[in-house]
Amino acid sequence: MHILITGGAGFIGSHVVRHFVSAHPDCRITNLDSLTYAGNLENLKDIERKPNYRFVRGDITDRAFIGSLFDENRFDGVIHLAAESHVDRSIASPLQFVLTNVVGTVNLLDAARSCWNGDFVGKRFYHISTDEVYGSLGSEGMFTEETPYDPHSPYSASKASSDHFVRAWHDTYGLPAVISNCSNNYGPYQFPEKLIPLFINNILLKKPLPVYGKGENVRDWLWVIDHAAAIDLIYHEGKNGETYNIGGHNEWKNIDLILLLCDIMDRKLGREPGESAELITYVTDRAGHDLRYAIDSGKLQRELGWSPSIRFEEGLERTVEWYLANQEWLDKVTSGAYMEYYETMYH
Ligand code: NAD
Ligand code: DAU
């Protein structure tokens, strides 16, 4: 068995690669990643020498390269995570999201179709998507697999589009494909442009904590290692043509999460209670900011027996501990181009 994992040097991808390499020693894993600003091989230092692991640097938008990679390797499966993933960047530069998330996905679908050439026994194309394709909820209800798509940001529109292409390749060409749509992940190795690691880094540096709007938007947070476990389950036991929602049943209003994070940081850093919360600064809201996401993951729980393993308070504490123990990693990824990004985005 030889599986291609795309985007394996990123946040979630590195956890998925680590999980598969360790849990399935008989399975060969090729990690394909172009190493954008979000990709970092340091995320995989602990497993890079495992005999069933290999890294290939390459771009999913390069159709000829993807075609020859499939021809040379005859992969049995694909787990596709490579993407541009940050909503704020998609608002500033939408075209790269169309290229990577839409064109890149179609290149992979087509390469898999032509490599497998109708012989789909033991083959699977698994596309990792997001709950943002469903749009925004009011104060009631949850996203189910039947919720109509209603994306608002260039990021979520590009992910919605890629989901449609995956379904089209399943329905039209019979490609054995499965999709999952997950809520907000958190945990080690997340790039500090996303809320939790950005705020941990700013608290460490005593910089302002830029809360969009009134901080009333709600997200449903999932421990990234639980997402990796769900991906393993769906890859091996999910049904082709199906969609599975993955979420933590763990809704937090941004401001409540930020206050909890400030408390944990004060405690861990030996600062006065309330010191970090003083850094909170309300800033102009994100354009098209979705109010609330909440995932109903009942189908995945009922059909495949998955459930989240840890409570959010514990996961957040472990996340903070990881960032404090890995400040070298944080310093490396926040040098150079990151400073330019930060200046443009927040000043
Ligand atoms: P990330 O930005 O941390 O990592 C993306 C990875 O893809 C990076 O390693 C990057 O180098 C690579 N990549 C980007 N463009 C590429 C290209 N053209 N060719 C090859 N590699 C390329 O993203 P993440 O947060 O780990 O998200 C991974 C996937 O999960 C994405 O598809 C995202 O839409 C989805 N997702 C993320 C979340 C979340 O909370 N972060 C939630 C649900 C779904
Ligand atoms: O729901 C799944 C999605 O979660 C994934 O598909 C995306 O790849 C991932 O980036 C994430 O999207 P969000 O936009 O929800 O995550 P982000 O960390 O950017 O923001 C979380 C919330 O915090 C959101 O309501 C915006 C707010 N926020 C974010 C930043 C970066 C702030 O208030 N200030 C900030 O500086």
Side-chain angles (χ1 to χ4, degrees), residues 198-264:
L198 175 79
F199 279 32
I200 291 175
N201 191 42
N202 283 15
I203 291 171
L204 270 171
L205 302 174
K206 300 195 175 179
K207 281 168 68 170
L209 305 178
V211 179
Y212 296 160
K214 295 181 179 159
E216 283 176 351
N217 304 68
V218 174
R219 296 291 182 267
D220 177 353
W221 295 90
L222 180 69
W223 177 236
V224 62
I225 292 164
D226 285 337
H227 189 188
I231 288 173
D232 186 349
L233 202 56
I234 293 168
Y235 181 82
H236 287 101
E237 291 177 34
K239 290 196 194 117
N240 289 328
E242 294 284 322
T243 294
Y244 297 88
N245 280 353
I246 313 174
H249 281 288
N250 176 46
E251 292 181 49
W252 283 79
K253 205 181 260 191
N254 287 344
I255 192 63
D256 295 337
L257 184 160
I258 292 160
L259 288 170
L260 174 63
L261 181 63
C262 288
D263 281 352
I264 298 175

Side-chain angles (χ1 to χ4, degrees), residues 7 9-13 33-36 38-39 58-61 81-83 85 100 128-130 155 159 182-185 190 194:
F11 165 49
I12 302 173
D33 199 299
S34 63
L35 301 182
T36 67
D59 190 333
I60 59 168
T61 67
L81 296 106
S85 69
T100 300
I128 306 301
S129 193
T130 170
Y155 164 68
K159 290 297 290 186
C182 188
S183 62
N184 286 64
N185 285 219
Q190 188 169 30
K194 309 282 165 62

Side-chain angles (χ1 to χ4, degrees), residues 1-6 28-32 54 56 65-79 108 111-113 115-116 119 121-125 235:
M1 179 70 89
H2 188 180
I3 299 178
L4 174 70
I5 298 183
T6 71
R28 280 189 294 151
I29 299 296
T30 291
N31 169 15
L32 169 68
R54 176 178 71 135
V56 174
F65 162 74
I66 293 297
S68 46
L69 186 73
F70 273 77
D71 285 345
E72 283 157 22
N73 292 279
R74 322 296 306 172
F75 301 113
D76 299 293
V78 178
I79 304 179
L108 288 164
R113 174 171 81 100
C115 173
W116 295 338
D119 177 10
V121 179
K123 307 292 195 296
R124 172 152 279 182
F125 189 104
Y235 181 82

Side-chain angles (χ1 to χ4, degrees), residues 50-325:
K50 295 267 186 184
N52 60 336
Y53 171 72
R54 176 178 71 135
F55 173 70
V56 174
R57 186 170 189 178
D59 190 333
I60 59 168
T61 67
D62 182 342
R63 188 175 169 78
F65 162 74
I66 293 297
S68 46
L69 186 73
F70 273 77
D71 285 345
E72 283 157 22
N73 292 279
R74 322 296 306 172
F75 301 113
D76 299 293
V78 178
I79 304 179
H80 174 37
L81 296 106
E84 289 291 337
S85 69
H86 191 38
V87 174
D88 293 327
R89 288 187 192 252
S90 82
I91 295 167
S93 314
L95 190 59
Q96 192 55 47
F97 284 69
V98 178
L99 291 174
T100 300
N101 299 359
V102 185
V103 177
T105 301
V106 173
N107 282 340
L108 288 164
L109 287 166
D110 229 23
R113 174 171 81 100
S114 108
C115 173
W116 295 338
N117 195 22
D119 177 10
F120 295 138
V121 179
K123 307 292 195 296
R124 172 152 279 182
F125 189 104
Y126 181 3
H127 177 60
I128 306 301
S129 193
T130 170
D131 61 357
E132 299 203 10
V133 299
Y134 298 124
S136 183
L137 293 163
S139 53
E140 301 277 300
M142 296 180 119
F143 298 132
T144 70
E145 288 80 1
E146 274 70 49
T147 303
Y149 277 29
D150 181 25
H152 298 134
S153 71
Y155 164 68
S156 53
S158 70
K159 290 297 290 186
S161 171
S162 64
D163 292 9
H164 290 318
F165 277 106
V166 174
R167 288 197 185 95
W169 256 243
H170 172 268
D171 295 350
T172 307
Y173 305 113
L175 193 84
V178 65
I179 300 177
S180 59
N181 297 80
C182 188
S183 62
N184 286 64
N185 285 219
Y186 72 98
Y189 299 111
Q190 188 169 30
F191 192 78
E193 61 188 354
K194 309 282 165 62
L195 180 74
I196 292 177
L198 175 79
F199 279 32
I200 291 175
N201 191 42
N202 283 15
I203 291 171
L204 270 171
L205 302 174
K206 300 195 175 179
K207 281 168 68 170
L209 305 178
V211 179
Y212 296 160
K214 295 181 179 159
E216 283 176 351
N217 304 68
V218 174
R219 296 291 182 267
D220 177 353
W221 295 90
L222 180 69
W223 177 236
V224 62
I225 292 164
D226 285 337
H227 189 188
I231 288 173
D232 186 349
L233 202 56
I234 293 168
Y235 181 82
H236 287 101
E237 291 177 34
K239 290 196 194 117
N240 289 328
E242 294 284 322
T243 294
Y244 297 88
N245 280 353
I246 313 174
H249 281 288
N250 176 46
E251 292 181 49
W252 283 79
K253 205 181 260 191
N254 287 344
I255 192 63
D256 295 337
L257 184 160
I258 292 160
L259 288 170
L260 174 63
L261 181 63
C262 288
D263 281 352
I264 298 175
M265 289 292 287
D266 285 342
R267 195 156 32 81
K268 300 275 177 203
L269 294 170
R271 293 185 185 166
E272 286 298 312
E275 200 177 322
S276 299
E278 283 173 20
L279 299 168
I280 290 172
T281 311
Y282 291 92
V283 300
T284 310
D285 207 352
R286 173 185 277 174
H289 198 172
D290 289 334
L291 178 66
R292 175 174 164 255
Y293 304 145
I295 275 276
D296 178 349
S297 55
K299 175 177 171 179
L300 181 60
Q301 303 198 2
R302 274 190 313 278
E303 295 186 8
L304 302 186
W306 174 88
S307 58
S309 71
I310 65 171
R311 279 169 42 78
F312 183 63
E313 288 80 352
E314 186 193 336
L316 191 60
E317 185 127 357
R318 280 203 217 169
T319 303
V320 167
E321 282 163 5
W322 185 86
Y323 280 94
L324 294 184

